[in-house]
Amino acid sequence: MGHLGNLSTPALGLGCMGFSQAYGPADDEQSVATVRTALDLGVTLIDTAMSYGRGHNERLVGRAIAGRRAEVVLATKFGIVRGEDGVRLDGRPDHVRRYCDASLERLGVDTIDLYYLHRVDPAVPVAETVGAMAELVTAGKVRHLGLSEADPGQLEQAVAVHPIAAVQFEWSLSWREPERDVVPAARRLGVGLVPYSPLGRGLLTGVLPASYGDGDFRRGDPRFAGEHLTANLALVQELATIAAAYGISPAQLALAWLLAQGPDVVPIPGTRSPARLAENAAAARVQLNDADLAALSAQTWHGDRRSFAAYGTSRT
């Protein structure tokens, strides 16, 4: 089990973004089946957002959990707005309830278990946005609050207004920069940790496509090109060697390393494959020895990351 503030969760969740954007075309029926398989496997933390596919993702998740709401720890996000004119941030307090109500309708539920501000709007003090989010808790529309890609100061400001159950951010063996500041700040404030892209956007699985098609944002991510990719693939081979000694996959090894960082760490790997989902879920049963944990932690990965309006996208 995982613990995000006062919210109990499974050890791992399912990130749903790839059903609607970022990794090329997806099949809706397969996506619905994957979510249902997750519930069958006990992977009941389901993570979506209003921005994923401009509402498409929430509608898919709503279809998938229909009749099974009681099994689900349902997380969604607001604050990234996609429209015909592009992508923008909106954390205005007077818009928060409207965004929440629209998500509830698309999901077909009465309450969201974990409601995140997807990105802090630089035009709005985060305390003001969180104040409006807190009103949703009072109204019974939301149970717990979270922030995504917030910096330590923003976490401080948010917690001063209302308890924050979780902060979501990119964290994996191949992107460990949050350990410098976000992770210790969150733990000091009692905020749980939800790593997205815990498999390094596919890099840590050891299986990458020969090329990235239209709609796959990895085409522009420095970690997946040139000398950075060459160096990172050599590290993936090291993962494969360690994983083989445990009889597990490199992906399971990477997830087991994250899970070993503490019970307040609840990764949300995304996948479109029910078979891969079962593989990921099994990582929660893997116990790594101290020597291998240290060896993995000593690796040095290469290349900055690409992420929209996110905190900390460069290696230092």
Side-chain angles (χ1 to χ4, degrees):
M1 292 292 291
H3 298 282
L4 303 175
N6 293 324
L7 176 62
S8 293
T9 72
L12 289 145
L14 173 64
C16 296
M17 181 181 72
F19 299 155
S20 301
Q21 66 181 52
Y23 293 99
D27 178 84
D28 284 358
E29 297 308 314
Q30 182 183 23
S31 297
V32 169
T34 299
V35 175
R36 291 175 178 165
T37 298
L39 301 185
D40 293 341
L41 291 169
V43 181
T44 54
L45 173 61
I46 307 299
D47 184 276
T48 181
M50 77 173 204
S51 71
Y52 298 163
R54 296 169 59 183
H56 170 262
N57 205 266
E58 288 181 324
R59 286 188 287 271
L60 271 183
V61 169
R63 278 181 55 198
I65 68 174
R68 303 183 68 173
R69 176 64 183 95
E71 301 173 49
V72 181
V73 180
L74 183 59
T76 193
K77 315 176 200 70
F78 77 97
I80 296 179
V81 182
R82 296 181 184 274
E84 299 299 335
D85 56 347
V87 186
R88 59 188 174 86
L89 302 181
D90 184 5
R92 288 176 54 182
D94 54 329
H95 292 176
V96 172
R97 184 177 292 257
R98 172 165 56 86
Y99 288 142
C100 180
D101 287 344
S103 287
L104 289 168
E105 182 176 357
R106 286 189 292 265
L107 290 162
V109 301
D110 297 321
T111 309
I112 295 162
D113 296 305
L114 178 54
Y115 197 45
Y116 289 97
L117 174 59
H118 205 162
R119 294 289 190 273
V120 175
D121 183 343
V124 180
V126 68
E128 294 183 11
T129 307
V130 172
M133 295 168 70
E135 293 176 7
L136 300 174
V137 178
T138 302
K141 296 174 182 286
V142 169
R143 294 193 175 97
H144 301 270
L145 303 183
L147 300 179
S148 179
E149 290 287 8
D151 67 35
Q154 291 162 343
L155 281 175
E156 291 262 12
Q157 295 163 43
V159 168
V161 175
H162 189 277
I164 301 298
V167 58
Q168 185 173 136
F169 53 97
E170 185 172 353
W171 186 19
S172 70
L173 268 173
S174 60
W175 188 261
R176 297 188 52 202
E177 275 55 33
E179 295 171 34
R180 292 176 297 138
D181 52 4
V182 174
V183 170
R187 285 181 161 154
R188 177 170 49 81
L189 296 166
V191 178
L193 308 167
V194 178
Y196 72 80
S197 297
L199 296 176
R201 303 191 185 277
L203 179 65
L204 301 176
T205 67
V207 181
L208 289 176
S211 62
Y212 303 110
D214 293 341
D216 192 320
F217 76 100
R218 288 175 292 186
R219 293 178 68 177
D221 191 301
R223 295 169 293 181
F224 292 86
E227 61 184 16
H228 293 318
L229 179 60
T230 299
N232 289 337
L233 289 177
L235 294 171
V236 171
Q237 288 303 309
E238 294 181 14
L239 297 188
T241 299
I242 296 173
Y246 288 88
I248 60 176
S249 69
Q252 288 173 315
L253 180 73
L255 290 173
W257 177 86
L258 258 182
L259 290 167
Q261 306 310 306
D264 59 346
V265 179
V266 182
I268 50 168
T271 182
R272 300 171 181 173
S273 163
R276 182 58 59 84
L277 181 61
E279 177 185 326
N280 291 345
R285 299 191 293 271
V286 176
Q287 297 292 320
L288 303 179
N289 65 46
D290 290 345
D292 288 329
L293 285 170
L296 293 168
S297 296
Q299 290 179 319
T300 301
W301 296 76
H302 301 265
D304 293 341
R305 71 173 178 137
R306 179 185 176 195
S307 188
F308 175 71
Y311 171 68
T313 56
S314 298
R315 297 190 191 271
T316 56

